[in-house]
Amino acid sequence: MKIGNFLIVAGLVLGSVLADQQGNNSDKISRFIYDRCRIYSTDASAYDDIKTHLGQFGDYLTYAASLLPNGKEQFCNDERPKLAHLATQLAHDVKPCLPKDEKYLPKFMVESFTSFLDFVCSQRTIENFFSTQGADCRQNLKLNQEGQQVGNCFTKLFARFDGKVRKDDLCLDLKASKKCFSEAIARSCPDFAAFESLNNRFFHAIRKPCNSAITTGFNSVVLLVAALISTKLFS
């Protein structure tokens, strides 16, 4: 079981579902960042630095995630602050490449990812996901996905990289994604309160900047987080 399955909606999206999509999403994210750096940054090496730190972040995330579930204490005590630092470093690299109306993206990346790590380390999160009933629900989700509806729950998010990335649109798409996964659980794991709770808590975590008045003007890179996970952990 790849921990990448857990990182996207607490295991509600299966690696096998997203495997065919990750290449296109990765290319879209890379092109988005490359184009922004080319147009807005006065440092020609800015994109190269981002690529380097993006790779380091993805590699370390893969390593840290491999500790779960049995190494949860080490992950939360030792690896979580290192991951948060790498995310901050990456956000710092990205900011000079963004136009004024997208300067919110780096801070959202850090705030959303940090909140996500808190979710991973919270009580009964890992335990519920890797439980026997959790495994049964994941299997049902895999068997009962209709037209890969589960795998398409994040489709609109990645589509945002085709144009201007606006906070309000992304936050609405995240809300729609939450509903999408809730419906998938209801179809495949009826009355499974634990997984519905994981779904609610996951989206509450990654949407934190959408609900925070103090971060107005600094909201939205759950996409980058999702893309990092999809690119690095579903390969």
Side-chain angles (χ1 to χ4, degrees):
M1 169 64 63
K2 289 186 178 181
I3 193 60
N5 299 352
F6 174 79
L7 294 178
I8 299 283
V9 191
L12 305 182
V13 179
L14 303 172
S16 58
V17 174
L18 289 183
D20 293 336
Q21 303 175 10
Q22 72 91 15
N24 290 335
N25 289 336
S26 173
D27 291 343
K28 186 169 291 188
I29 297 296
S30 296
R31 173 53 58 180
F32 173 84
I33 297 174
Y34 179 86
D35 286 345
R36 290 298 191 273
C37 289
R38 177 174 54 84
I39 296 171
Y40 297 106
S41 177
T42 58
D43 182 356
S45 65
Y47 178 71
D48 295 330
D49 292 338
I50 294 170
K51 277 182 60 178
T52 298
H53 291 147
L54 186 63
Q56 292 172 351
F57 177 68
D59 289 344
Y60 200 82
L61 180 60
T62 303
Y63 155 72
S66 70
L67 299 172
L68 300 172
N70 296 330
K72 178 180 177 180
E73 183 175 357
Q74 180 182 346
F75 177 94
C76 296
N77 293 340
D78 300 334
E79 312 308 337
R80 175 167 49 167
K82 296 177 183 177
L83 286 168
H85 172 73
L86 289 173
T88 300
Q89 182 181 51
L90 181 59
H92 179 269
D93 290 343
V94 171
K95 191 171 183 178
C97 289
L98 299 174
K100 183 178 180 179
D101 54 358
E102 290 180 343
K103 290 290 187 184
Y104 59 81
L105 292 175
K107 186 172 182 178
F108 184 99
M109 173 184 169
V110 174
E111 186 175 353
S112 180
F113 187 65
T114 301
S115 182
F116 167 76
L117 291 175
D118 292 341
F119 161 76
V120 173
C121 293
S122 60
Q123 187 176 14
R124 309 309 298 172
T125 297
I126 295 292
E127 293 81 357
N128 283 338
F129 177 75
F130 286 101
S131 67
T132 300
Q133 290 181 342
D136 290 342
C137 185
R138 293 196 307 272
Q139 182 64 19
N140 288 339
L141 283 165
K142 183 176 182 179
L143 293 175
N144 297 333
Q145 54 168 319
E146 300 174 7
Q148 290 196 348
Q149 290 178 10
V150 176
N152 291 330
C153 285
F154 274 120
T155 299
K156 286 186 178 180
L157 289 174
F158 288 104
R160 292 294 172 193
F161 283 103
D162 290 333
K164 188 73 65 177
V165 182
R166 296 183 175 88
K167 170 204 169 183
D168 290 345
D169 292 336
L170 289 172
C171 289
L172 285 174
D173 286 343
L174 281 171
K175 186 176 181 179
S177 295
K178 176 185 175 181
K179 181 179 178 181
C180 179
F181 288 116
S182 293
E183 291 172 349
I185 297 170
R187 289 194 305 268
S188 300
C189 316
D191 303 319
F192 190 7
F195 252 45
E196 179 60 26
S197 176
L198 283 178
N199 184 52
N200 291 336
R201 289 166 54 208
F202 172 84
F203 277 101
H204 179 76
I206 65 174
R207 290 186 78 252
K208 181 179 179 181
C210 297
N211 301 322
S212 176
I214 62 173
T215 57
T216 299
F218 287 100
N219 296 316
S220 257
V221 154
V222 116
L223 315 180
L224 276 181
V225 174
L228 289 170
I229 295 166
S230 176
T231 302
K232 294 296 182 181
L233 299 185
F234 290 119
S235 58

